Amino acid sequence: TTFRVGGPARLFLEIATQEELKSTIQLLNDAGETYYLLGNGSNLLVSDKGDDGIILHLAKEFNHIEIKDNHIMYCEAGATLAAIARVALAQSLTGFEFAAGIPGTLGGAVVMNAGAYDGEMKQVITSVRLMTPQGEIVEKSCEEMHFAYRHSLLKEEAYIVLGAFIQLERGQQEEIRLKMEDLAARRKDKQPLEYPSAGSTFKRPEGYFAAKLIQDAGLRGFQCGGAQVSEKHCGFVINRGQATAAEVEELMRRVQEKVEQEFQVRLEPEVRRLGEFS
């Protein structure tokens, strides 16, 4: 994971093809086993004990990016957002620049409707190709995906993302490149990219900004062991080098308590937890 903390998986399966995915989930369902689909591990806090379930990771044939007609791209679930942005740039297609610096895969980005710099996946996705728990392949429109702030249908239903159709527009390659470079520079300037983290730790509360609430609560630089509220951007919890998952979780809990005590606002984690936490 990008936090660089967490214990082992009981079983970690690299899935290479759709047929393998179908047969694997059918086998696991028949055996009554639970499983978790891992993307790039960029929005995940795994317990120090690891996870007693089974981790599936889409690889090999799941990272293809294809250009369709009318400025539409079909991107498979394992393709990284950075790779998709590079292909869009090479094809002079604009509209995906916002996602170029998000360190995740297309699958994970669809699940949480990832966004940055006033852009969200729901603005560019026309439809998503999914696999049901029974192994059937279905396609859902953008509207049917119930996209909202850091939310999608996949928080409600146990579908697996296979890929998504992304609608972009023809643009000027140099303008697209300059916008991507500008956003990258802004990220580097404002975010603690030199430390392991999961990006923005908390969701934006309605009417507030999580980072400002944390800063105003006097928590800039606050530490629990090796976990710290970033001094550069209070919305980030970072691993200073030797943090444990327990320390990250404890820090998040104490930040929530302090902000709620000071401002009567309960911060909701954007980071997902996996495994057993005390």
Side-chain angles (χ1 to χ4, degrees):
T1 68
T2 56
F3 254 135
R4 297 289 181 261
V5 300
R10 174 160 63 99
L11 196 62
F12 188 97
L13 303 179
E14 291 274 5
I15 308 295
T17 67
Q18 282 193 21
E19 280 306 309
E20 268 191 14
L21 179 61
K22 180 178 179 178
S23 60
T24 300
I25 62 173
Q26 286 176 339
L27 186 67
L28 295 177
N29 288 337
D30 290 345
E33 291 278 5
T34 60
Y35 57 88
Y36 181 88
L37 203 71
L38 180 72
N40 206 36
S42 59
N43 197 45
L44 193 64
L45 179 63
V46 178
S47 162
D48 295 309
K49 299 174 185 176
D51 182 62
D52 195 41
I54 293 171
I55 307 298
L56 306 184
H57 184 247
L58 304 184
K60 294 184 180 176
E61 289 189 14
F62 285 99
N63 60 5
H64 292 162
I65 300 168
E66 187 179 349
I67 305 297
K68 301 287 190 179
D69 293 335
N70 301 319
H71 312 147
I72 290 177
M73 300 172 71
Y74 178 71
C75 308
E76 296 197 316
T80 65
L81 301 184
I84 296 169
R86 287 195 298 270
V87 172
L89 170 63
Q91 297 292 323
S92 299
L93 295 176
T94 184
F96 205 75
E97 294 90 331
F98 75 91
I102 299 175
T105 60
L106 186 278
V110 169
V111 170
M112 65 175 292
N113 184 30
Y117 298 109
D118 300 321
E120 290 181 300
M121 296 304 295
K122 71 174 184 180
Q123 295 170 0
V124 294
I125 286 176
T126 59
S127 64
V128 180
R129 192 167 283 167
L130 305 161
M131 183 175 285
T132 70
Q134 294 73 40
E136 298 172 20
I137 296 175
V138 297
E139 194 167 318
K140 299 280 186 182
S141 69
C142 184
E143 292 72 25
E144 291 173 317
M145 288 299 296
H146 298 173
F147 286 125
Y149 176 65
R150 302 299 176 265
H151 178 86
S152 75
L153 174 69
L154 304 177
K155 297 288 185 77
E156 308 157 13
E157 307 272 354
Y159 292 110
I160 294 174
V161 179
L162 299 178
F165 291 91
I166 293 172
Q167 175 73 67
L168 301 177
E169 301 295 333
R170 177 65 60 196
Q172 296 297 317
Q173 192 173 72
E174 190 56 25
E175 289 180 11
I176 298 167
R177 187 193 314 279
L178 288 173
K179 185 171 182 180
M180 287 172 61
E181 289 175 354
D182 174 59
L183 293 180
R186 286 163 63 183
R187 277 182 184 276
K188 188 175 180 181
D189 182 53
K190 295 284 182 15
Q191 299 178 8
L193 303 181
E194 64 272 28
Y195 291 103
S197 79
S200 295
T201 308
F202 298 99
K203 295 179 181 178
R204 184 178 67 242
E206 191 170 349
Y208 298 90
F209 291 100
K212 187 170 190 319
L213 289 171
I214 295 167
Q215 177 179 312
D216 291 349
L219 294 172
R220 181 186 294 277
F222 179 67
Q223 284 189 238
C224 287
Q228 182 185 42
V229 173
S230 169
E231 296 177 285
K232 195 173 187 180
H233 189 312
C234 291
F236 283 60
V237 169
I238 61 172
N239 176 359
R240 293 282 303 184
Q242 299 297 324
T244 64
E247 289 169 348
V248 172
E249 192 208 26
E250 172 69 7
L251 179 59
M252 289 171 61
R253 185 184 63 77
R254 291 175 70 174
V255 167
Q256 286 175 300
E257 288 178 354
K258 179 70 170 173
V259 167
E260 188 167 25
Q261 178 186 337
E262 293 283 333
F263 306 109
Q264 294 74 56
V265 177
R266 183 68 177 175
L267 293 178
E268 184 182 345
E270 186 170 307
V271 177
R272 302 178 71 171
R273 300 190 313 170
L274 184 65
E276 182 184 333
F277 289 85
S278 57

